[in-house]
Amino acid sequence: RLQHHRLRFQEFSARSEASGRVSLFVPDRVESEEILDEGNASRSEMERSLRDLQRFNSLFGGTPVYRRLVKAAAKDATSVLDLGTGTSDLLGALDSSCRLRIGLDFKIDHILYGRKLRNGPGPIHLVVADGFHLPFLDETVDLVTSSHFFHHFSPEENQKMLQEALRVARKAVIASDTRRHLAPLLLVRVMGLFRLIGRVTRFDGPASVLQGYTVAEARKVADGIRARRKEVRKLFPYRFGLLLWK
């Protein structure tokens, strides 16, 4: 009987995903400002929040998901540009075959603090610029990436930014982010309750999840982008990857 109910639930979830409907476990999308992005935090709070983000990547799948997507999009890529790079910890996690790594962010304080923290292999070149107007020629790098950046923007803004990223990429573009779901929302709230994360992350973490996208919503974004091939993958744990090929 329990197995029967489990199968019914899995069938319902699959139908909901295919039709674009959201389940009871997926809250409505709520756009909001985040303290870290608005610059409304002290330096010590900013640094703590950036360290929190690094811990989320290392403990909850962000780093291995990023590596897998890079290999899936362009396994022989030797040059990568990462948008919204923050501390560039994900670029630092790539193996030595990636000889040119460029981290781009609009917040100079974030990338400078990342340079202070860095102990990974090889240099990372840092650029302060706007992701909507990349200061690079066409086809400058093999691959353009972003992680936990997608949720900050509307569907139309994401389409514009990813189209610009395709201009700069020779091979492909990837974007990875947390899926909007009650599970990651509850996780970050519990971590905040026990003060396992800083004040800024206690506010920004739930806000990030609530303005995130479902896989179906990410596919709709991809539909509006001109690319040779498009794919959106549902990834464990509670993440998605959007891949675009030239």
Side-chain angles (χ1 to χ4, degrees):
R1 190 178 185 85
L2 179 62
Q3 182 69 14
H4 173 72
H5 288 308
R6 184 180 295 119
L7 288 171
R8 289 286 301 276
F9 176 76
Q10 290 173 343
E11 290 170 1
F12 171 77
S13 299
R15 288 197 302 269
S16 297
E17 181 73 30
S19 65
R21 296 196 305 269
V22 295
S23 77
L24 296 174
F25 301 104
V26 180
D28 291 336
R29 185 169 189 264
V30 180
E31 294 185 4
S32 63
E33 295 179 348
E34 297 181 20
I35 297 173
L36 188 64
D37 301 311
E38 295 302 312
N40 296 326
S42 67
R43 183 162 192 86
S44 62
E45 288 177 326
M46 176 203 76
E47 292 176 353
R48 171 64 191 272
S49 184
L50 291 171
R51 293 196 303 274
D52 287 339
L53 291 174
Q54 285 194 344
R55 288 172 59 213
F56 279 125
N57 280 333
S58 62
L59 295 176
F60 301 115
T63 302
V65 162
Y66 182 79
R67 286 176 178 150
R68 290 202 304 272
L69 288 173
V70 166
K71 289 187 179 299
K75 63 181 179 180
D76 56 346
T78 59
S79 55
V80 175
L81 166 64
D82 186 46
L83 308 182
T85 194
T87 60
S88 298
D89 56 307
L90 295 176
L91 278 177
L94 296 177
D95 61 41
S96 58
S97 64
C98 182
R99 296 191 294 273
L100 175 61
R101 310 173 200 203
I102 306 171
L104 181 145
D105 204 299
F106 195 66
K107 298 286 187 180
I108 188 170
D109 289 346
H110 295 187
I111 59 177
L112 289 178
Y113 183 60
R115 185 168 64 181
K116 178 180 175 181
L117 292 178
R118 191 168 308 118
N119 56 10
I124 296 176
H125 304 278
L126 302 175
V127 178
V128 179
D130 180 359
F132 292 98
H133 304 94
L134 298 174
F136 302 102
L137 298 174
D138 295 356
E139 300 188 346
T140 295
V141 295
D142 290 333
L143 183 64
V144 179
T145 69
S146 69
S147 181
H148 209 244
F149 194 47
F150 195 88
H151 69 273
H152 290 291
F153 306 102
S154 69
E156 295 76 19
E157 288 171 331
N158 274 312
Q159 288 169 344
K160 180 180 178 181
M161 182 157 32
L162 292 172
Q163 199 70 63
E164 171 70 350
L166 274 169
R167 178 187 68 79
V168 172
R170 280 191 289 267
K171 296 183 178 181
V173 170
I174 62 172
S176 173
D177 211 332
T178 302
R179 286 186 280 128
R180 192 174 73 253
H181 195 279
L182 283 181
L185 180 62
L186 291 175
L187 172 65
V188 74
R189 283 183 169 161
V190 169
M191 292 181 73
L193 181 66
F194 288 97
R195 297 298 191 266
L196 300 175
I197 50 181
R199 182 189 72 88
V200 172
T201 311
R202 291 199 296 272
F203 176 86
D204 285 356
S208 293
V209 176
L210 286 173
Q211 60 185 340
Y213 287 78
T214 64
V215 169
E217 290 166 349
R219 288 194 177 114
K220 288 182 180 179
V221 172
D223 287 342
I225 299 171
R226 298 183 305 278
R228 177 178 60 83
R229 178 183 162 202
K230 313 168 190 179
E231 184 178 343
V232 177
R233 299 183 180 185
K234 185 176 182 179
L235 302 167
F236 177 86
Y238 296 101
R239 298 186 72 89
F240 70 83
L242 188 157
L243 300 92
L244 304 166
W245 286 272
K246 293 285 290 264

